[in-house]
Amino acid sequence: MAYRRSALMEERLADNRDRILLAARKLVADGGFREAQVAAVATAAGLSTGTIYRYFPSKAELFVEVLTLAVEQEIQILDEIARRDAPASERLGAAVASFVRRALAGPNLAYAFIAEPVDPEVDAARIRCRKQFGDVFKAILTAGIDSGELPAQDCDAAAACIVGAFTEALVGPIGPTTRNTRDKARLIESIRAFCTRAVGG
Amino acid sequence: MAYRRSALMEERLADNRDRILLAARKLVADGGFREAQVAAVATAAGLSTGTIYRYFPSKAELFVEVLTLAVEQEIQILDEIARRDAPASERLGAAVASFVRRALAGPNLAYAFIAEPVDPEVDAARIRCRKQFGDVFKAILTAGIDSGELPAQDCDAAAACIVGAFTEALVGPIGPTTRNTRDKARLIESIRAFCTRAVGG
DNA sequence: AAAAAAAGTGAACATTAATTCACAAAATGA
DNA sequence: TCATTTTGTGAATTAATGTTCACTTTTTTT
């Protein structure tokens, strides 16, 4: 009496779900969240918009799953490296390089972790601003290298790393929850120490 | 014949413009771009939505100016530090600490530089994901410190810095423009070197 | 004080995109 | 094959916001 899904049907459903996730992932990787409307995902997956909602309760939950899956995969790779039998700094370098290599390799979700928000115009301004910050640090670095105080290094990359490091440390680890003065001072010192060590000072 | 604005009027207009910019800035600082609708800015500035458009051609241009002003101010401070007469690594540390200190101090635009996009739900997932990456690096760090290979340090902060550093370096400096293999390899190596030096390896 | 110009208003409009839903197509069991 | 259930559809609905504009108020000039 009751309707039972055949194995074939079951498979097709799972297939559709995978196709939706894959299409969504590709759209974000290619054009960022802004390009990833539900209708676009549907088209890319060869389905109709309504069908998306048979598989996911909302756009938000769909993309939460997209992110989660991508990260799980990434974490698995990094974890493997972290468990190797080698000096800590070597494993750390290998993990970083591994991530960056894959991100540079091709269509990737790097954007999703950085995020491009709001308006393209405003976003462009945001990028310019970060670049400006980077330029300040780059200037210090080149001067330090010229004078022989700092070891030779890729100043563009280092400057970007510095900006990324302290901004992430500001909103990343525990977020911008209010901290007491003691904690704040410690955090400032930690970040400062990290950045100066990083440039070989 | 022609209408001439009195000095008082001129001043009031400039005042309104400033109030709009200030209100917009505060809204972004407090609640991110998501909270900063034109209507909200108008209310916060004590004006009507229509009036906003007498001062700014569009929401985007308003916020571009908000960002630009905030950054100009910040850059000025950093530049002053960068020009000091001191070792490069000291100036670098001072500049980083200066930025972070101000960002932690109170209502700030730190978010605007990191950006919170799309949905709160998806954004929450994004934060969790970055945290996960951080945890991998944190694990390596704590192990390295335990074994005496790495110097003692704030592992939470360092892990966040590492994640921030390589993500920023990926999309920050020149953006994700396609690079040739040689450049990619160099970038990977630069980032790897930066991160390993930073943890004292 | 009256006329002219500018500034301010906020409801109405336009746009964009997520979500729904009445219906069509396909699958299942009898 | 027929009745039933599930799945698929995409146009219509909803919701949130940026933007406009006919109108009011204020300011300036004569």
Side-chain angles (χ1 to χ4, degrees):
Chain A
M1 192 74 225
Y3 180 101
R4 281 297 315 156
R5 282 201 285 246
S6 68
L8 203 76
M9 188 62 189
E10 200 91 54
E11 192 182 321
R12 195 165 62 81
L13 290 184
D15 214 63
N16 279 352
R17 196 167 196 283
D18 286 348
R19 247 201 341 281
I20 293 171
L21 285 167
L22 210 64
R25 175 173 177 156
K26 179 156 173 44
L27 281 172
V28 173
D30 288 353
F33 282 112
R34 202 178 303 109
E35 306 288 321
Q37 305 101 342
V38 175
V41 173
T43 303
L47 296 166
S48 69
T49 56
T51 303
I52 303 291
Y53 288 89
R54 294 221 168 246
Y55 291 82
F56 298 91
S58 71
K59 186 190 179 182
E61 293 206 31
L62 163 58
F63 281 98
V64 166
E65 185 157 342
V66 168
L67 256 188
T68 304
L69 285 176
V71 169
E72 258 171 25
Q73 204 176 315
E74 199 66 40
I75 289 284
Q76 204 174 327
I77 297 172
L78 296 184
D79 263 339
E80 187 277 317
I81 296 175
R83 274 195 306 272
R84 279 180 198 165
D85 183 24
S89 62
E90 192 182 311
R91 284 176 289 148
L92 187 131
V96 169
S98 161
F99 184 101
V100 173
R101 190 179 307 117
R102 243 163 301 111
L104 287 174
N108 64 75
L109 284 185
Y111 277 131
F113 304 128
I114 307 292
E116 28 65 84
V118 286
D119 225 287
E121 206 177 329
V122 175
D123 199 43
R126 191 177 61 86
I127 304 268
R128 276 200 305 278
C129 291
R130 298 191 77 129
K131 176 101 176 55
Q132 280 187 69
F133 286 127
D135 287 342
V136 172
F137 295 105
K138 186 178 161 189
I140 299 178
L141 286 176
T142 51
I145 293 166
D146 279 353
S147 76
E149 185 203 327
L150 298 179
Q153 59 196 286
D154 179 342
C155 294
D156 283 301
C161 283
I162 290 170
V163 173
F166 67 72
T167 51
E168 175 74 20
L170 276 172
V171 305
I174 313 175
T177 51
T178 46
R179 299 148 158 277
N180 60 47
T181 315
R182 174 79 37 126
D183 281 349
K184 283 182 185 173
R186 221 191 317 259
L187 180 60
I188 292 169
E189 177 50 25
S190 299
I191 297 173
R192 198 195 56 67
F194 179 94
C195 290
T196 51
R197 270 200 310 267
V199 299
Chain B
M1 192 76 220
Y3 181 101
R4 279 302 308 159
R5 284 201 284 243
S6 68
L8 203 77
M9 189 63 190
E10 200 91 53
E11 193 181 320
R12 195 164 62 82
L13 290 183
D15 215 63
N16 279 351
R17 196 168 196 284
D18 286 348
R19 247 204 337 284
I20 293 171
L21 284 167
L22 210 65
R25 175 174 177 155
K26 181 157 172 42
L27 281 172
V28 173
D30 288 353
F33 282 111
R34 203 178 303 109
E35 304 289 320
Q37 307 99 342
V38 175
V41 172
T43 302
L47 297 166
S48 69
T49 56
T51 303
I52 302 291
Y53 288 88
R54 294 219 167 246
Y55 292 83
F56 298 91
S58 72
K59 185 189 179 183
E61 293 205 30
L62 163 58
F63 280 98
V64 167
E65 186 159 342
V66 168
L67 258 189
T68 304
L69 285 176
V71 169
E72 260 172 23
Q73 204 177 314
E74 199 66 39
I75 289 284
Q76 204 174 327
I77 297 172
L78 296 184
D79 264 338
E80 188 276 317
I81 295 175
R83 276 195 306 272
R84 279 182 198 164
D85 183 24
S89 61
E90 193 181 311
R91 286 177 288 149
L92 188 132
V96 169
S98 162
F99 184 101
V100 174
R101 190 179 306 117
R102 244 163 301 111
L104 286 174
N108 63 76
L109 285 184
Y111 278 131
F113 304 127
I114 307 293
E116 26 65 79
V118 287
D119 224 287
E121 206 177 328
V122 175
D123 200 42
R126 193 178 59 86
I127 304 267
R128 275 199 306 277
C129 290
R130 298 191 76 129
K131 176 103 176 52
Q132 280 186 70
F133 286 127
D135 286 342
V136 172
F137 295 105
K138 187 178 160 189
I140 299 178
L141 287 175
T142 51
I145 293 167
D146 279 353
S147 76
E149 185 204 327
L150 298 179
Q153 60 196 286
D154 179 341
C155 294
D156 284 300
C161 283
I162 290 170
V163 173
F166 67 72
T167 51
E168 176 74 20
L170 276 172
V171 303
I174 312 174
T177 51
T178 45
R179 299 148 160 277
N180 60 47
T181 314
R182 174 79 36 123
D183 282 349
K184 283 182 185 174
R186 222 191 317 257
L187 180 60
I188 293 170
E189 178 50 26
S190 299
I191 297 173
R192 199 196 54 70
F194 179 94
C195 291
T196 50
R197 271 199 310 267
V199 300

Coordinates of all heavy atoms in Angstrom, one line a residue, chain A residues 5-73:
Chain A
R5 N 10.2 4.1 -1.8 CA 11.1 4.5 -2.9 C 11.9 3.3 -3.3 O 12.5 2.6 -2.5 CB 12.0 5.6 -2.3 CG 11.3 6.9 -2.3 CD 12.3 8.0 -2.2 NE 13.0 8.1 -0.9 CZ 12.8 9.2 -0.1 NH1 12.1 10.2 -0.5 NH2 13.4 9.2 1.0
S6 N 12.0 3.2 -4.6 CA 12.9 2.1 -5.2 C 14.3 2.6 -5.0 O 14.6 3.8 -4.8 CB 12.6 1.9 -6.6 OG 13.0 3.1 -7.4
A7 N 15.2 1.6 -5.1 CA 16.6 1.9 -4.9 C 17.1 3.0 -6.0 O 17.8 3.9 -5.8 CB 17.5 0.7 -5.1
L8 N 16.5 2.8 -7.2 CA 16.9 3.7 -8.3 C 16.4 5.1 -8.0 O 17.2 6.1 -8.2 CB 16.2 3.2 -9.6 CG 16.8 3.6 -10.9 CD1 18.1 2.8 -11.1 CD2 15.9 3.5 -12.0
M9 N 15.2 5.2 -7.5 CA 14.7 6.5 -7.1 C 15.5 7.1 -6.0 O 15.9 8.3 -6.1 CB 13.2 6.3 -6.6 CG 12.5 7.7 -6.4 SD 12.4 8.6 -8.0 CE 11.8 10.1 -7.4
E10 N 15.8 6.4 -5.1 CA 16.6 6.8 -3.9 C 17.9 7.4 -4.5 O 18.4 8.5 -4.0 CB 17.0 5.6 -3.0 CG 17.4 5.9 -1.6 CD 16.2 6.0 -0.7 OE1 15.4 5.0 -0.6 OE2 16.0 7.0 0.0
E11 N 18.5 6.7 -5.4 CA 19.8 7.1 -6.0 C 19.6 8.4 -6.7 O 20.5 9.3 -6.6 CB 20.3 6.0 -6.9 CG 21.7 6.2 -7.3 CD 22.1 5.0 -8.3 OE1 21.7 3.9 -8.1 OE2 22.8 5.3 -9.3
R12 N 18.6 8.5 -7.5 CA 18.4 9.8 -8.3 C 18.2 11.0 -7.3 O 18.7 12.1 -7.6 CB 17.1 9.6 -9.2 CG 17.1 10.7 -10.3 CD 16.2 10.3 -11.4 NE 14.8 10.2 -10.9 CZ 14.0 11.2 -10.7 NH1 14.4 12.4 -11.0 NH2 12.7 11.0 -10.3
L13 N 17.5 10.7 -6.2 CA 17.3 11.8 -5.3 C 18.6 12.3 -4.7 O 18.9 13.5 -4.6 CB 16.3 11.4 -4.2 CG 14.9 11.2 -4.6 CD1 14.0 10.8 -3.4 CD2 14.3 12.4 -5.2
A14 N 19.4 11.3 -4.3 CA 20.7 11.6 -3.7 C 21.6 12.3 -4.7 O 22.3 13.3 -4.4 CB 21.4 10.3 -3.2
D15 N 21.4 11.9 -6.0 CA 22.1 12.5 -7.1 C 21.7 14.0 -7.2 O 22.6 14.8 -7.4 CB 21.8 11.7 -8.3 CG 23.0 11.7 -9.3 OD1 24.0 11.0 -8.8 OD2 22.9 12.2 -10.4
N16 N 20.5 14.2 -7.2 CA 20.0 15.6 -7.3 C 20.6 16.5 -6.2 O 21.0 17.6 -6.4 CB 18.5 15.6 -7.2 CG 17.8 15.3 -8.6 OD1 18.5 15.2 -9.6 ND2 16.5 15.1 -8.6
R17 N 20.5 15.9 -5.0 CA 21.0 16.7 -3.9 C 22.5 17.0 -4.1 O 22.9 18.2 -3.8 CB 20.8 15.8 -2.6 CG 20.9 16.6 -1.3 CD 20.4 15.8 -0.1 NE 20.2 16.7 1.0 CZ 21.2 17.2 1.8 NH1 22.4 16.9 1.5 NH2 20.9 18.0 2.8
D18 N 23.2 16.0 -4.5 CA 24.7 16.3 -4.7 C 24.9 17.3 -5.8 O 25.7 18.2 -5.7 CB 25.3 15.0 -5.2 CG 25.5 14.0 -4.0 OD1 25.3 14.4 -2.8 OD2 25.9 12.8 -4.2
R19 N 24.0 17.2 -6.9 CA 24.2 18.2 -8.0 C 23.9 19.6 -7.5 O 24.6 20.5 -7.9 CB 23.3 17.8 -9.1 CG 24.1 17.4 -10.3 CD 23.5 17.4 -11.7 NE 22.1 17.5 -11.7 CZ 21.3 16.4 -11.6 NH1 21.8 15.2 -11.4 NH2 20.0 16.5 -11.7
I20 N 22.9 19.7 -6.6 CA 22.6 21.0 -6.1 C 23.8 21.6 -5.3 O 24.2 22.7 -5.5 CB 21.3 21.0 -5.2 CG1 20.1 20.7 -6.0 CG2 21.1 22.3 -4.4 CD1 18.9 20.4 -5.2
L21 N 24.3 20.8 -4.4 CA 25.4 21.2 -3.6 C 26.6 21.6 -4.4 O 27.3 22.6 -4.2 CB 25.8 20.1 -2.6 CG 24.9 19.9 -1.4 CD1 25.2 18.6 -0.7 CD2 25.0 21.1 -0.4
L22 N 26.9 20.8 -5.5 CA 28.0 21.0 -6.3 C 27.8 22.3 -7.1 O 28.8 23.1 -7.2 CB 28.2 19.8 -7.3 CG 29.6 19.5 -7.7 CD1 30.4 19.1 -6.5 CD2 29.6 18.5 -8.8
A23 N 26.6 22.5 -7.6 CA 26.3 23.7 -8.4 C 26.5 24.9 -7.5 O 27.1 25.9 -7.9 CB 24.9 23.6 -9.0
A24 N 26.0 24.8 -6.3 CA 26.1 26.0 -5.4 C 27.5 26.3 -5.1 O 28.0 27.4 -5.1 CB 25.3 25.6 -4.1
R25 N 28.3 25.2 -4.8 CA 29.7 25.4 -4.5 C 30.4 26.1 -5.7 O 31.2 27.0 -5.5 CB 30.3 24.0 -4.2 CG 31.8 24.1 -4.0 CD 32.4 22.8 -3.6 NE 33.8 22.9 -3.5 CZ 34.5 22.1 -2.7 NH1 33.9 21.2 -2.0 NH2 35.8 22.2 -2.6
K26 N 30.2 25.6 -6.9 CA 30.8 26.2 -8.0 C 30.5 27.7 -8.2 O 31.3 28.5 -8.5 CB 30.5 25.4 -9.3 CG 31.1 25.9 -10.5 CD 31.3 24.9 -11.6 CE 31.8 25.5 -13.0 NZ 32.9 26.4 -12.8
L27 N 29.2 28.0 -8.0 CA 28.8 29.4 -8.2 C 29.5 30.3 -7.2 O 30.0 31.4 -7.6 CB 27.3 29.5 -8.0 CG 26.5 29.1 -9.3 CD1 25.0 29.0 -8.9 CD2 26.7 30.0 -10.4
V28 N 29.6 29.8 -5.9 CA 30.3 30.7 -5.0 C 31.7 30.8 -5.3 O 32.3 31.9 -5.3 CB 30.1 30.1 -3.5 CG1 31.0 30.8 -2.6 CG2 28.7 30.1 -3.1
A29 N 32.3 29.7 -5.7 CA 33.8 29.7 -6.0 C 34.0 30.6 -7.2 O 35.0 31.4 -7.2 CB 34.2 28.3 -6.3
D30 N 33.2 30.6 -8.2 CA 33.4 31.4 -9.4 C 33.1 32.9 -9.1 O 33.9 33.7 -9.5 CB 32.6 30.9 -10.5 CG 33.1 29.6 -11.1 OD1 34.1 29.1 -10.6 OD2 32.4 29.0 -11.9
G31 N 31.9 33.1 -8.5 CA 31.5 34.5 -8.5 C 31.2 35.1 -7.2 O 30.6 36.1 -7.0
G32 N 31.4 34.3 -6.1 CA 31.1 34.7 -4.8 C 29.6 34.6 -4.5 O 28.8 34.2 -5.3
F33 N 29.3 34.8 -3.2 CA 27.9 34.7 -2.8 C 26.9 35.5 -3.6 O 25.8 35.1 -3.8 CB 27.8 35.1 -1.3 CG 28.3 34.0 -0.4 CD1 29.4 34.2 0.4 CD2 27.6 32.8 -0.2 CE1 29.9 33.3 1.2 CE2 28.1 31.8 0.6 CZ 29.2 32.1 1.4
R34 N 27.4 36.6 -4.1 CA 26.5 37.5 -4.8 C 25.9 36.9 -6.0 O 24.8 37.1 -6.4 CB 27.2 38.8 -5.2 CG 26.3 40.0 -5.4 CD 27.0 41.2 -5.7 NE 28.0 41.6 -4.7 CZ 29.3 41.5 -4.8 NH1 29.8 41.1 -5.9 NH2 30.1 41.9 -3.8
E35 N 26.7 36.0 -6.7 CA 26.2 35.4 -7.9 C 25.4 34.1 -7.6 O 24.9 33.5 -8.5 CB 27.4 34.9 -8.7 CG 28.4 36.1 -9.0 CD 27.8 37.1 -10.0 OE1 27.2 36.6 -11.0 OE2 28.0 38.3 -9.8
A36 N 25.4 33.7 -6.4 CA 24.8 32.4 -6.1 C 23.3 32.5 -5.6 O 23.0 32.2 -4.5 CB 25.6 31.7 -5.0
Q37 N 22.5 33.0 -6.5 CA 21.0 33.0 -6.2 C 20.5 31.6 -6.3 O 21.0 30.8 -7.0 CB 20.2 34.0 -7.1 CG 20.8 35.4 -7.1 CD 21.6 35.6 -8.4 OE1 22.0 34.6 -9.0 NE2 21.8 36.8 -8.7
V38 N 19.4 31.4 -5.6 CA 18.7 30.1 -5.7 C 18.4 29.7 -7.1 O 18.6 28.6 -7.5 CB 17.4 30.1 -4.8 CG1 16.7 28.8 -5.0 CG2 17.8 30.3 -3.4
A39 N 17.9 30.7 -7.9 CA 17.5 30.4 -9.3 C 18.7 30.0 -10.1 O 18.7 29.1 -10.9 CB 16.9 31.6 -9.9
A40 N 19.9 30.6 -9.8 CA 21.1 30.3 -10.5 C 21.5 28.9 -10.2 O 22.0 28.1 -11.0 CB 22.2 31.3 -10.2
V41 N 21.5 28.6 -8.9 CA 21.8 27.2 -8.5 C 21.0 26.2 -9.2 O 21.4 25.2 -9.7 CB 21.7 27.1 -6.9 CG1 21.9 25.6 -6.5 CG2 22.7 28.0 -6.2
A42 N 19.7 26.5 -9.2 CA 18.7 25.6 -9.8 C 19.1 25.3 -11.3 O 19.2 24.2 -11.7 CB 17.3 26.1 -9.7
T43 N 19.3 26.4 -12.0 CA 19.6 26.3 -13.4 C 20.9 25.5 -13.6 O 21.0 24.5 -14.4 CB 19.8 27.7 -14.0 OG1 18.6 28.4 -13.8 CG2 20.2 27.6 -15.5
A44 N 21.9 25.8 -12.8 CA 23.2 25.1 -12.9 C 23.1 23.6 -12.6 O 23.8 22.8 -13.1 CB 24.2 25.8 -12.0
A45 N 22.1 23.3 -11.7 CA 21.9 21.9 -11.3 C 20.9 21.2 -12.3 O 20.7 20.0 -12.1 CB 21.4 21.8 -9.9
G46 N 20.4 22.0 -13.2 CA 19.4 21.4 -14.2 C 18.1 21.1 -13.5 O 17.4 20.1 -13.9
L47 N 17.7 21.9 -12.6 CA 16.4 21.7 -11.9 C 15.7 23.1 -11.8 O 16.2 24.1 -12.3 CB 16.7 21.2 -10.4 CG 17.3 19.8 -10.3 CD1 17.8 19.6 -8.9 CD2 16.4 18.7 -10.8
S48 N 14.5 23.0 -11.3 CA 13.8 24.3 -11.1 C 13.9 24.8 -9.7 O 14.3 24.1 -8.8 CB 12.3 24.1 -11.4 OG 11.7 23.3 -10.4
T49 N 13.7 26.1 -9.5 CA 13.9 26.7 -8.2 C 13.1 26.0 -7.1 O 13.6 25.8 -6.1 CB 13.5 28.2 -8.2 OG1 12.2 28.3 -8.6 CG2 14.4 29.0 -9.1
G50 N 11.9 25.7 -7.5 CA 11.0 25.1 -6.5 C 11.6 23.8 -6.0 O 11.5 23.4 -4.8
T51 N 12.3 23.1 -6.9 CA 12.9 21.8 -6.5 C 14.0 21.9 -5.4 O 14.1 21.0 -4.6 CB 13.4 21.1 -7.7 OG1 12.4 21.0 -8.7 CG2 14.0 19.7 -7.4
I52 N 14.7 23.0 -5.5 CA 15.7 23.3 -4.5 C 15.1 23.1 -3.1 O 15.7 22.5 -2.2 CB 16.3 24.7 -4.7 CG1 16.9 24.8 -6.1 CG2 17.4 24.9 -3.6 CD1 18.1 24.0 -6.4
Y53 N 13.9 23.6 -3.0 CA 13.3 23.7 -1.7 C 12.7 22.3 -1.2 O 12.2 22.1 -0.1 CB 12.2 24.8 -1.6 CG 12.9 26.1 -1.6 CD1 13.2 26.8 -2.8 CD2 13.2 26.7 -0.4 CE1 13.8 28.0 -2.7 CE2 13.8 27.9 -0.3 CZ 14.1 28.6 -1.5 OH 14.7 29.8 -1.5
R54 N 12.8 21.3 -2.1 CA 12.4 20.0 -1.8 C 13.6 19.3 -1.1 O 13.5 18.3 -0.4 CB 12.0 19.2 -3.0 CG 10.8 19.7 -3.6 CD 9.9 18.5 -4.0 NE 8.6 19.0 -4.4 CZ 7.5 18.6 -3.7 NH1 7.6 17.9 -2.6 NH2 6.3 19.1 -4.1
Y55 N 14.8 19.9 -1.3 CA 16.0 19.3 -0.8 C 16.6 20.1 0.4 O 17.3 19.5 1.2 CB 17.0 19.1 -1.9 CG 16.6 18.1 -3.0 CD1 15.8 18.4 -4.0 CD2 17.1 16.8 -2.9 CE1 15.4 17.5 -4.9 CE2 16.7 15.8 -3.8 CZ 15.9 16.2 -4.8 OH 15.5 15.3 -5.7
F56 N 16.4 21.4 0.4 CA 16.9 22.2 1.4 C 15.8 23.2 1.9 O 15.1 23.8 1.1 CB 18.1 23.0 0.9 CG 19.3 22.1 0.5 CD1 19.4 21.7 -0.8 CD2 20.2 21.7 1.4 CE1 20.4 20.8 -1.2 CE2 21.2 20.8 1.0 CZ 21.3 20.4 -0.3
P57 N 15.7 23.3 3.2 CA 14.6 24.2 3.7 C 14.8 25.7 3.4 O 13.8 26.4 3.4 CB 14.7 23.9 5.2 CG 16.1 23.4 5.5 CD 16.5 22.7 4.2
S58 N 16.0 26.1 3.2 CA 16.2 27.5 2.9 C 17.6 27.7 2.2 O 18.4 26.8 2.2 CB 16.2 28.3 4.1 OG 17.4 28.1 4.9
K59 N 17.7 28.8 1.6 CA 19.0 29.1 0.9 C 20.1 29.1 1.9 O 21.2 28.5 1.7 CB 18.9 30.5 0.3 CG 20.2 30.8 -0.5 CD 20.2 32.3 -1.0 CE 21.5 32.5 -1.7 NZ 21.6 33.9 -2.1
A60 N 19.9 29.6 3.1 CA 20.9 29.7 4.1 C 21.4 28.3 4.5 O 22.6 28.1 4.5 CB 20.3 30.4 5.4
E61 N 20.4 27.4 4.7 CA 20.9 26.0 5.1 C 21.6 25.3 4.0 O 22.6 24.6 4.2 CB 19.7 25.2 5.6 CG 19.1 25.8 6.9 CD 18.4 24.7 7.7 OE1 18.7 23.5 7.6 OE2 17.4 25.1 8.4
L62 N 21.2 25.6 2.8 CA 22.0 25.0 1.6 C 23.4 25.5 1.7 O 24.3 24.7 1.6 CB 21.3 25.5 0.3 CG 22.2 25.3 -1.0 CD1 22.6 23.9 -1.2 CD2 21.4 25.8 -2.2
F63 N 23.6 26.8 1.9 CA 25.0 27.3 1.8 C 25.8 26.9 3.1 O 27.0 26.8 3.0 CB 25.0 28.7 1.5 CG 24.8 29.0 0.0 CD1 23.6 29.3 -0.5 CD2 25.9 28.8 -0.8 CE1 23.4 29.5 -1.8 CE2 25.7 29.0 -2.2 CZ 24.4 29.3 -2.7
V64 N 25.1 26.8 4.2 CA 25.8 26.3 5.4 C 26.4 24.9 5.1 O 27.5 24.6 5.4 CB 24.8 26.2 6.6 CG1 25.5 25.4 7.7 CG2 24.5 27.7 7.1
E65 N 25.6 24.1 4.4 CA 26.1 22.7 4.1 C 27.2 22.8 3.1 O 28.2 22.0 3.2 CB 24.9 21.9 3.6 CG 25.4 20.4 3.4 CD 24.2 19.4 3.4 OE1 23.1 19.8 3.9 OE2 24.4 18.3 2.9
V66 N 27.1 23.7 2.1 CA 28.2 23.8 1.1 C 29.5 24.2 1.8 O 30.5 23.5 1.6 CB 27.8 24.9 0.1 CG1 29.1 25.3 -0.7 CG2 26.7 24.5 -0.8
L67 N 29.4 25.1 2.7 CA 30.6 25.6 3.4 C 31.1 24.4 4.3 O 32.3 24.1 4.3 CB 30.3 26.7 4.3 CG 30.7 28.1 3.9 CD1 30.4 29.1 5.0 CD2 32.2 28.1 3.5
T68 N 30.2 23.8 5.0 CA 30.6 22.8 5.9 C 31.3 21.6 5.2 O 32.4 21.1 5.7 CB 29.4 22.2 6.7 OG1 28.7 23.3 7.3 CG2 29.8 21.2 7.7
L69 N 30.8 21.2 4.1 CA 31.4 20.1 3.4 C 32.8 20.5 2.9 O 33.7 19.7 3.0 CB 30.5 19.7 2.2 CG 29.2 18.9 2.5 CD1 28.4 18.7 1.3 CD2 29.6 17.6 3.2
A70 N 32.9 21.7 2.3 CA 34.2 22.1 1.7 C 35.2 22.1 2.8 O 36.3 21.7 2.7 CB 34.0 23.5 1.1
V71 N 34.8 22.6 4.0 CA 35.7 22.7 5.1 C 36.1 21.4 5.7 O 37.3 21.1 6.0 CB 35.2 23.7 6.2 CG1 36.0 23.6 7.4 CG2 35.1 25.1 5.6
E72 N 35.1 20.5 5.8 CA 35.4 19.2 6.3 C 36.5 18.5 5.5 O 37.5 17.9 6.0 CB 34.2 18.3 6.2 CG 33.4 18.1 7.5 CD 32.1 17.4 7.3 OE1 32.0 16.7 6.3 OE2 31.2 17.6 8.1
Q73 N 36.4 18.6 4.2 CA 37.4 18.1 3.2 C 38.7 18.7 3.5 O 39.7 18.0 3.6 CB 36.9 18.4 1.8 CG 37.3 17.5 0.7 CD 36.7 18.0 -0.6 OE1 35.5 18.3 -0.6 NE2 37.5 18.1 -1.6

